[in-house]
Amino acid sequence: MTNDSRLRNLFFRYFFIFLLARFFVFADEDIFAVGEVLEIKNLKTAPCYSIEAITFRITSGIYRGEKIQVKNYLWDDKNYNTYLKKGQKAVLRLRQFPGGLTGSIVGYYRQNLFFFMLFCFLALLFLVVGKRFLRVFLSIIVNLFLFIFFAIPFLKKGENPPLVIGFFIGGSVFLTLVFITGFSKKMVSSFVGTIASVLIAGVLSFFIFKKAHITGMFFDGSRFIQTAVRTEGIKINFFLLAISSVLISALGVGVDIAVSISSFLKEFSRENPHLNITGLFKAGINVGSDILATMMNSVIFVFLGGALPILLTLKFCEVSYLRVVNYEEISALIIGSILASSVVVLTVPVTSFVSARFFNPSRSLQRAGCLKGRPFGINKKNNKYVNRGL
Amino acid sequence: MKRIIVFFVFILLFKGYGFSDSWVEKPDIDFYAHPLIENKGNVKKVFTGKVIIQNNLKKVKVNGKTMDIGDENLYEYRAGDRVICEINGRVSILDYNRSFWIFFTVGLFVIGVLILNFKKGFLSVFSLFFGLFIFVFFFLNFTERGFSPLLTSGFSVVLITAITLFSISGKFKKGISAFLGAIGGIFFGVLFAYFFLKKGHVWGFAREQIQLLNYLIKNFSIPLKSVKGIVLSGILIGTAGVVMDVAISISSSLYEFFLENNKISSKKLFFYGMNIGRDIISTMANSLLFAYAGSSFFYVFAVSFQGYSLMQILNSEGFFFIFVEIFSGTSAIVVTVFLTVVFSSLIIPKRSYKIQNA
């Protein structure tokens, strides 16, 4: 085994142990349990709604085996109802009162469906990608883990969002790069390229959001966060949260471009050792702009997809165009998506510059005590290799 | 003043049970007081103005005339702010005027892209904005007239994909193979999402925007029938952006192989294409994840306050919807890779009876 892969294996082993420990030590904030429907009784039928009394037998957690009766409210709008049949499972939220156990229905039991979705996805990956499918899947899972178990709990405690998200971004980029490229010069140059462009875009978005008076209070869930946080007395800075959301969305695409440019420049510098830093930089920019041409669509279209309901609502409410565009949510989406794409645009020159410096052969030749940056190859007169090995 | 009171009453009445499937009380009971719904049918002309201080009083300068302020909505406005307002005897300030900063950001972005590479950058920026304009125009206008939102967004996505791919690739063979692969991948992604959303009884109703749209559908005579189409259209357009990139990368790379060797066989192209595709999948897998996490960041953060145990994460409606988005998008990428390689290896190699280098 090479040194590189041995180091990588060790790293993964300890990282996964750490992740698993975190996973099991994770404390529940509320008591959720899975219950199986035993019996459904119709309690009340009114013109707008009806109430069912459903008896559950709890099948998970500390209250396993107990029976509990819960009210299920059925409204005239189908979408706000949970329709349950005998033998079906549901998720309950339980509360222990002095008189006994009470609770409410949270919703359908989707765990099995979630794992089935994972399985279908893995099967598809395996069919197309082959043996390396686990690597792809693990990189997604690791990033999800980092986000759900590290970034969000710290944000909930009220810590400074750019700091938390900065650590999350740094950690996730580092892990993704270790998966894709391994510990090498390529990794370092991609890492530096992504982080530098994210920093620049962060500063830019701070300036622009401040000037455009985007407070972060009018997003999809901001009102809920406000009310939830008020009871606990934590201060959350919505403005910094808005900036962090822009940076996160730029991350994935930025890593992709950085890796492409670094790998390309590594091979290219080996093929053309006579090029100096400027030549490598120019080649990197050419390739980068080719990749950029299609990749900048991705972030903007994803943001647009998330904004479709609000756009349609505003259209139906006959709000004038000027007001729609200046609505905080819409303008934050537009500015945010363009800024996230700007991270992608910034990554190209920054990564080209860093990779050009790293893979510049004349420098390493100088260090090896060989030719001072002169072109090398086979000496045609006596057929001897002139290069001393890079 | 009335609008401020109504707005704050709306905030107080919003109980926030709203992130689970079973509702103790219908969430849209209070929506009649929502500021947007209040505005419906009440169209007034909107002006742009600037806040100035005159005689120690805040006034607004609109079209050269200085006017008194009737009421201020949503924020505390200061001198020098550009605002938009309605005029009703007195000026009623609606919101900040952010148009300048929107144009500033867009301009910065376009200049950055053009600096890197003028010709290609111009084509890509043009196709991006043209595509956005087409989508928004088609989707909003035709959905308002009663066409199914899924059909209109599907049609506009096909149009946008065709324009982008053919304008960027330049050669017909590259463009058509990328186009076919992209369309197949997007179609599969939407099917995947529809299947799992239907089985999980999740139609995005944990999001307030969709609740509002549903309220509009039920209580006002709007040609739109249900919200399911909107949700799927959102997933459709989100997937389309990423899939286009994958398709064009693969078909361009395979076309380069063809340029090197005219007589390359379909089988070899398929083999090389799958190798390239594997690398592309492993790097693209994360980009979709982060793009969705960033766009629904506030929503995920809000849902996390409502119970954050593993059971809630795996079962709750809000999280399940996000997971379906992410996994359907990534499956669409995987299928696109496969289909693009298949189509490229069939279309690109030289055949005696096909048009050469169209």
Side-chain angles (χ1 to χ4, degrees), chain A residues 117-373:
Chain A
M117 182 168 68
L118 274 186
F119 172 74
C120 286
F121 176 65
L122 276 176
L124 197 64
L125 262 186
F126 179 69
L127 280 177
V128 176
V129 177
K131 277 188 291 187
R132 278 169 61 186
F133 79 104
L134 212 59
R135 231 196 229 186
V136 174
F137 182 63
L138 278 176
S139 72
I140 298 183
I141 290 294
V142 161
N143 283 317
L144 265 179
F145 248 64
L146 267 183
F147 188 64
I148 295 180
F149 291 110
F150 285 94
I152 293 199
F154 278 112
L155 284 177
K156 285 214 293 198
K157 292 196 186 132
E159 308 266 356
N160 191 13
L163 215 63
V164 172
I165 299 294
F167 276 117
F168 164 68
I169 288 179
S172 132
V173 170
F174 177 71
L175 284 172
T176 317
L177 286 177
V178 163
F179 265 116
I180 298 177
T181 57
F183 290 101
S184 64
K185 262 197 202 170
K186 256 199 297 189
M187 185 199 114
V188 177
S189 68
S190 324
F191 184 75
V192 170
T194 326
I195 297 293
S197 50
V198 165
L199 272 175
I200 299 175
V203 167
L204 202 65
S205 60
F206 181 86
F207 170 71
I208 294 185
F209 272 18
K210 192 123 207 168
K211 283 280 180 172
H213 301 283
I214 290 180
T215 55
M217 300 281 217
F218 291 92
F219 282 99
D220 204 347
S222 321
R223 252 191 309 229
F224 187 73
I225 302 176
Q226 260 178 304
T227 50
V229 158
R230 200 184 301 150
T231 52
E232 297 178 30
I234 306 172
K235 270 199 185 161
I236 291 206
N237 192 338
F238 285 90
F239 177 68
L240 295 177
L241 272 183
I243 298 178
S244 325
S245 77
V246 167
L247 297 180
I248 291 181
S249 46
L251 202 52
V253 199
V255 167
D256 194 347
I257 287 200
V259 166
S260 309
I261 295 184
S262 310
S263 338
F264 167 73
L265 275 181
K266 180 172 178 181
E267 304 297 325
F268 196 70
S269 71
R270 210 184 282 171
E271 271 287 313
N272 305 295
H274 57 278
L275 283 175
N276 59 355
I277 293 187
T278 321
L280 287 179
F281 180 70
K282 278 194 191 157
I285 296 239
N286 272 334
V287 170
S289 59
D290 279 344
I291 306 176
L292 179 65
T294 47
M295 203 169 276
M296 63 183 186
N297 286 349
S298 36
V299 176
I300 296 183
F301 277 25
V302 166
F303 271 79
L304 176 65
L308 280 189
I310 189 77
L311 276 179
L312 207 59
T313 314
L314 288 169
K315 178 85 179 169
F316 281 139
C317 289
E318 297 158 29
V319 182
S320 66
Y321 159 77
L322 195 63
R323 207 169 158 205
V324 167
V325 168
N326 289 312
Y327 204 57
E328 175 170 337
E329 204 173 339
I330 306 277
S331 64
L333 274 168
I334 299 178
I335 297 182
S337 59
I338 302 275
L339 279 173
S341 311
S342 319
V343 168
V344 174
V345 171
L346 276 170
T347 311
V348 170
V350 172
T351 317
S352 305
F353 179 69
V354 173
S355 304
R357 287 195 71 106
F358 264 25
F359 297 121
N360 188 16
S362 15
R363 226 185 182 194
S364 29
L365 271 180
Q366 283 173 20
R367 236 182 264 137
C370 298
L371 313 167
K372 309 260 165 126

Side-chain angles (χ1 to χ4, degrees), chain A residues 110 148 223 294 328-329, chain B residues 21 75 208-209 245 308:
Chain A
R110 300 187 175 97
I148 295 180
R223 252 191 309 229
T294 47
E328 175 170 337
E329 204 173 339
Chain B
D21 308 25
Y75 304 99
E208 189 191 305
Q209 301 166 339
D245 172 43
Y308 204 52

Side-chain angles (χ1 to χ4, degrees), chain A residues 28 31-36 57-66 89-92 94 101 109 111, chain B residues 311 315:
Chain A
D28 278 24
I31 304 175
F32 289 95
V34 181
E36 195 179 320
R57 182 180 65 222
I58 302 174
T59 57
S60 82
I62 28 178
Y63 297 114
R64 192 176 309 186
E66 293 195 26
K89 285 195 181 159
V91 177
L92 307 166
L94 303 171
L101 200 62
Y109 178 66
Q111 208 161 306
Chain B
M311 176 156 307
N315 283 301

Side-chain angles (χ1 to χ4, degrees), chain A residues 29-43:
Chain A
E29 287 179 359
D30 219 326
I31 304 175
F32 289 95
V34 181
E36 195 179 320
V37 175
L38 289 177
E39 191 191 359
I40 304 183
K41 254 189 305 185
N42 207 341
L43 258 191

